């Protein structure tokens, strides 16, 4: 059994020396991550090929490039992020210095996921490093080749007195969670997230939970059907559908479905050929258990397979599949599919679609395809989701200046860019005051009087601005 207590204590001792606090140290470690990714690009591509048969193209844009961009962005902006943030003051605080100081939390735990096993470990780690923390990193055991590679590489590139990598499955993760951390960052499913929250509650440890859910794609009649189909196919079947922000199902009118189906069929052929199984651009399901889960969803569905549906157990292959005549009570609508299956449900109106979305758990993403800006405004105003994107899919999470995270059951907290730095920082309220002007403090000291109270309230009360909103 690994001595996780000793690992955490070693990092806590290093943090206590203030080694991680200088900007120079943080930047050196961020540069080391960039160096790791550039020098081991081929090995990373090969590992993801073994784990997910992920194409090199997808690995480069969704794993390596995203992590490099995050690290470089943090390096470029770290000086401004670390500066104290001065705040507005009332009259009685006019001669004091009032500011927010950004301080590291301490020793944090980052638990990665298997579907993007490089990005979902390194991007939160970049935020933790930028904020000046020490970190324990736990890659997912399901993406075995990539996990092994990260376990080998991270200690070679990062300061081992401040950063540790641990391996293992559910048992080891449970033991690890018994330790006290200053923040836990978890990416994965809801059931494990509940266990993480329970463990964190024992130490009152704050958590970030990056989860998922059933993200809808609402296709409205005024959309460009061909462009919509192509973007839906790309977003749904990227990484063989194993993306937490992938569109999980489509809502549209019967007439829109009639136009959309042939366009989806054509786009699947254009992107993956007439035999997607032979395409080098289409991945595989991570393991046998998930393959069987998705296959069972297909076989138990009351809907009809309109496109695809083929499976090959030996390869863990499931074809890009579109289901129609799917009801809200269908098995594929009871859980996140997390695979290359796209159900289409029909609604009679935009209001019905909005009501359908709102009576379910809040999704991680909501996609809307429409040519009408008024429809965009209405859907944004009448729904809630972690993120929103019109006329495309997945791309909102690549904007480094936008926060990424869920709401409700789709997640707790946010990260990417500056938001990662803030997640792993404590915003410490600071007031610096001297000993002068003691006469002004007489208003607050006993003996109290109505005159003192009136004068003190006049000096401290926040007043409404004279302008009004039109």
């Amino acid at each position: 059994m690994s001595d996780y207590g000793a690992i955490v204590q070693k990092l806590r001792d290093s943090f206590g020396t203030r080694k991680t606090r200088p900007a120079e140290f943080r930047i050196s470690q961020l540069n080391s991550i960039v160096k790791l990714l550039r020098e081991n690009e081929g090995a990373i591509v090969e590992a993801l090929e073994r784990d997910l048969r992920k194409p090199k193209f997808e690995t480069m844009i969704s794993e390596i490039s995203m992590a490099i961009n995050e690290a470089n962005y943090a390096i470029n902006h770290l000086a401004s992020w670390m500066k104290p943030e001065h705040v507005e003051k009332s009259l009685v605080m006019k001669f004091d210095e009032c500011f927010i100081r950004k301080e590291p939390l301490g020793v944090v735990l980052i638990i990665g996921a298997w579907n993007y096993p490089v990005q979902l470990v390194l991007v939160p780690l970049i935020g933790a490093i930028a904020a000046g923390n020490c970190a324990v990193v736990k890659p997912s055991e399901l993406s075995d080749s990539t996990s092994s590679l990260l376990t080998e590489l991270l200690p070679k590139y990062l300061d081992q007195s401040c950063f540790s990598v641990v391996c293992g499955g559910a048992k080891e993760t449970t033991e690890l969670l018994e330790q006290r951390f200053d923040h836990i960052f978890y990416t994965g499913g809801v059931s494990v997230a509940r266990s993480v929250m329970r463990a964190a509650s024992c130490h009152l440890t704050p958590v970030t939970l990056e989860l998922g859910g059933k993200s809808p794609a609402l296709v409205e009649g005024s959309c460009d059907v061909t462009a919509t189909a192509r973007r839906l196919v790309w977003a749904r079947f990227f990484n063989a559908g194993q993306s937490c922000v992938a569109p999980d199902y489509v809502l549209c009118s019967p007439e829109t479905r009639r136009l959309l189906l042939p366009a989806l069929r054509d786009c699947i052929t254009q992107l993956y050929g007439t035999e997607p199984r032979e395409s080098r651009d289409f991945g595989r399901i991570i393991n046998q258990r998930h393959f069987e889960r998705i296959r069972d969803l297909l076989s138990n569905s009351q809907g009809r397979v309109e496109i695809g549906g083929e499976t090959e157990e030996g390869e863990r292959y499931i074809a890009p599949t579109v289901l129609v005549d799917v009801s809200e009570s269908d098995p594929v609508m009871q859980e996140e599919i997390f695979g290359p299956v796209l159900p289409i449900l029909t609604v009679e109106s935009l209001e019905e679609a909005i009501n359908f979305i709102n009576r379910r758990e809040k999704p991680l993403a909501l996609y809307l395809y429409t040519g009408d800006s008024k429809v965009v405004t209405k859907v944004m105003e009448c729904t809630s989701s972690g993120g929103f994107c019109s006329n495309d899919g997945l791309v909102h999470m690549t904007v480094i200046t936008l926060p990424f995270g869920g709401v409700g059951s789709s997640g707790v907290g946010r990260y990417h860019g500056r938001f990662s730095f803030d997640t792993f920082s404590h915003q410490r309220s600071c007031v610096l005051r001297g000993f002068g002007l003691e006469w002004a403090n007489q208003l607050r000291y006993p003996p109290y009087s109505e005159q003192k109270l009136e004068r003190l309230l006049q000096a401290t009360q926040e007043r409404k601005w004279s302008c009004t909103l039109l």
Side-chain angles (χ1 to χ4, degrees), residues 135-414:
V136 175
V137 173
K138 164 64 177 65
S140 173
E141 73 281 4
L142 298 187
S143 49
D144 180 61
S145 296
T146 311
S147 175
S148 298
L149 182 62
L150 288 175
T151 303
E152 173 192 344
L153 293 178
L154 283 170
K156 291 181 179 179
Y157 285 84
L158 297 181
D159 188 316
Q160 294 185 43
S161 68
C162 300
F163 306 100
S164 291
V165 186
V166 300
C167 300
K171 178 177 179 293
E172 290 77 13
T173 303
T174 301
E175 293 173 359
L176 184 60
L177 286 168
E178 292 175 359
Q179 305 302 315
R180 182 177 70 84
F181 292 95
D182 298 293
H183 194 94
I184 298 174
F185 191 108
Y186 167 77
T187 305
V190 172
S191 61
V192 176
R194 291 193 178 99
S195 299
V196 171
M197 283 197 85
R198 280 193 294 269
S201 69
C202 294
H203 301 288
L204 298 181
T205 300
V207 297
T208 299
L209 305 176
E210 294 294 338
L211 309 178
K214 296 186 74 65
S215 296
L218 174 51
V219 181
E220 193 264 340
S222 66
C223 73
D224 180 323
V225 174
T226 301
T228 295
R230 186 177 297 111
R231 295 174 191 185
L232 268 175
V233 166
W234 177 78
R236 171 71 268 191
F237 302 123
F238 189 93
N239 198 30
Q242 298 166 112
S243 302
C244 60
V245 289
D248 195 84
Y249 63 95
V250 169
L251 291 173
C252 64
S253 70
E255 175 61 18
T256 300
R257 189 188 79 168
R258 184 184 69 80
L259 299 172
L260 185 62
L261 282 172
L264 289 172
R265 187 186 303 275
D266 289 345
C267 288
I268 289 172
T269 300
Q270 291 169 15
L271 270 60
Y272 302 111
T274 55
E275 295 291 340
R277 181 180 169 187
E278 305 300 323
S279 172
R280 299 305 302 171
D281 298 327
F282 187 74
R284 296 296 184 265
I285 305 305
I286 183 67
N287 60 21
Q288 186 68 20
R289 179 171 66 86
H290 280 283
F291 171 84
E292 292 175 359
R293 179 187 61 80
I294 299 166
R295 185 179 60 184
D296 289 347
L297 286 176
L298 273 175
S299 61
N300 295 328
S301 174
Q302 299 164 3
R304 173 170 55 86
V305 175
E306 179 71 20
I307 302 170
E310 300 84 8
T311 65
E312 171 52 51
E313 185 171 356
E315 294 184 20
R316 302 193 306 276
Y317 166 77
I318 296 177
T321 299
V322 177
L323 295 176
V324 296
D325 300 333
V326 175
S327 68
E328 187 175 1
S329 61
D330 196 279
V332 297
M333 294 302 296
Q334 307 314 305
E335 63 179 83
E336 185 177 6
I337 297 169
F338 225 70
V341 178
L342 184 64
I344 299 179
L345 292 80
T346 56
V347 291
E348 295 300 327
S349 66
L350 180 62
E351 288 72 21
E352 184 182 345
I354 290 172
N355 290 336
F356 184 97
I357 293 167
N358 286 342
R359 65 174 174 260
R360 305 176 71 85
E361 295 287 357
K362 294 177 181 178
L364 182 56
L366 194 160
Y367 302 109
L368 170 63
Y369 295 83
T370 179
D372 189 339
S373 62
K374 293 181 180 178
V375 172
V376 173
T377 300
K378 182 171 184 177
V379 173
M380 279 197 297
E381 289 182 347
C382 296
T383 60
S384 177
S385 60
F388 178 90
C389 181
S390 68
N391 297 326
D392 213 335
L394 308 186
V395 296
H396 65 289
M397 70 169 295
T398 67
V399 183
I400 205 167
T401 49
L402 286 176
F404 179 76
V407 58
S409 66
S410 61
V412 176
R414 56 187 185 173

